[in-house]
Amino acid sequence: GAGVSQSPRYKVAKRGQDVALRCDPISGHVSLFWYQQALGQGPEFLTYFQNEAQLDKSGLPSDRFFAERPEGSVSTLKIQRTQQEDSAVYLCASSRTSGAKETQYFGPGTRLLVL
Amino acid sequence: GESVGLHLPTLSVQEGDNSIINCAYSNSASDYFIWYKQESGKGPQFIIDIRSNMDKRQGQRVTVLLNKTVKHLSLQIAATQPGDSAVYFCAAAPGSGNTGKLIFGQGTTLQVKP
């Protein structure tokens, strides 16, 4: 594929609603990452998959956040009972091999606004 | 905890001049560093990376310098162009484990004046 794609690009949710954000990584990429980027800040790591295995979820801010990659390709980040502080851009990245020491290619992000 | 920081939130340069963006990191075990460029409404775009066994790496119009002694790296952009206007982030990978995590700085906004 051309690059990492994410959908939707924009999402407005009412406080308390559940949302699901989708990431399609570059075809064949082993690793997939989710980051959260608040306005005016750098991306902050949320979680990391190697194929279908979630190897690091230390950055998920609460148990309302859940990510999965069941077949080792497409990934979904789910946020339950959204709060206003969840408003941010959610970025997905993929890399060809495993670990952080390979170039991570980012998608355009999903901008989430919780009202 | 581990941190990555940039020295200046904003840098303004004249078109055609060279730009230097600086970054400091706290974890001496970090062994991989990346510079990203982010334009408004887009995801970060890879510019150049460097591993800790090197102190300099060059790309097209860009050079990254790494000083492990003072835990500092810089991005140099030669002959800065209006299309270089963006937010620039440095990021570091921890040296241990296979966590996949990148630690990002807060970004420096580069403004190129025509």
Side-chain angles (χ1 to χ4, degrees):
Chain A
V4 179
S5 60
Q6 294 186 244
S7 61
R9 291 295 314 278
Y10 303 93
K11 177 69 179 177
V12 179
K14 293 182 179 178
R15 188 163 56 93
Q17 281 185 331
D18 298 348
V19 298
L21 312 180
R22 177 187 170 104
C23 172
D24 283 82
I26 294 172
S27 179
H29 275 200
V30 168
S31 295
L32 185 146
F33 310 84
W34 284 99
Y35 291 84
Q36 180 190 59
Q37 187 174 25
L39 189 64
Q41 303 294 316
E44 290 195 0
F45 172 83
L46 293 176
T47 188
Y48 158 55
F49 290 86
Q50 183 178 316
N51 295 309
E52 68 278 3
Q54 190 174 21
L55 297 187
D56 187 346
K57 54 181 180 180
S58 62
L60 295 176
S62 76
D63 58 6
R64 296 186 296 104
F65 287 71
F66 172 77
E68 60 182 4
R69 193 186 186 199
E71 297 180 357
S73 55
V74 172
S75 177
T76 303
L77 176 66
K78 298 179 179 178
I79 309 174
Q80 297 177 323
R81 304 180 303 281
T82 52
Q83 303 295 314
Q84 287 186 322
E85 61 263 29
D86 300 334
S87 295
V89 175
Y90 290 85
L91 295 164
C92 177
S94 70
S95 66
R96 188 176 55 85
T97 60
S98 60
K101 301 173 183 59
E102 293 289 336
T103 304
Q104 295 185 23
Y105 297 94
F106 282 82
T110 294
R111 186 174 299 272
L112 173 65
L113 177 62
V114 181
L115 302 176
Chain B
E2 185 169 358
S3 68
V4 175
L6 288 166
H7 293 190
L8 284 176
T10 304
L11 176 64
S12 185
V13 301
Q14 203 72 35
E15 181 180 357
D17 287 352
N18 295 337
S19 303
I20 299 176
I21 302 172
N22 295 302
C23 183
Y25 60 96
S26 65
N27 187 353
S28 57
S30 295
D31 60 358
Y32 178 62
F33 305 89
I34 313 176
W35 282 98
Y36 283 94
K37 171 187 179 183
Q38 188 173 29
E39 296 172 293
S40 182
K42 297 182 178 180
Q45 176 188 355
F46 171 83
I47 302 173
I48 192 168
D49 60 1
I50 189 168
R51 299 181 189 276
S52 59
N53 60 351
M54 303 173 70
D55 53 20
K56 179 179 180 179
R57 192 168 186 216
Q58 290 184 289
Q60 187 177 11
R61 279 201 309 119
V62 295
T63 300
V64 55
L65 299 178
L66 175 63
N67 185 331
K68 295 180 289 293
T69 302
V70 295
K71 292 183 283 188
H72 177 274
L73 68 159
S74 66
L75 176 71
Q76 301 179 2
I77 305 174
T80 313
Q81 302 169 358
D84 295 328
S85 294
V87 180
Y88 288 81
F89 293 98
C90 62
S96 61
N98 194 26
T99 170
K101 176 187 299 187
L102 284 177
I103 308 296
F104 281 79
Q106 291 191 323
T108 289
T109 299
L110 177 63
Q111 299 174 337
V112 182
K113 297 177 287 186

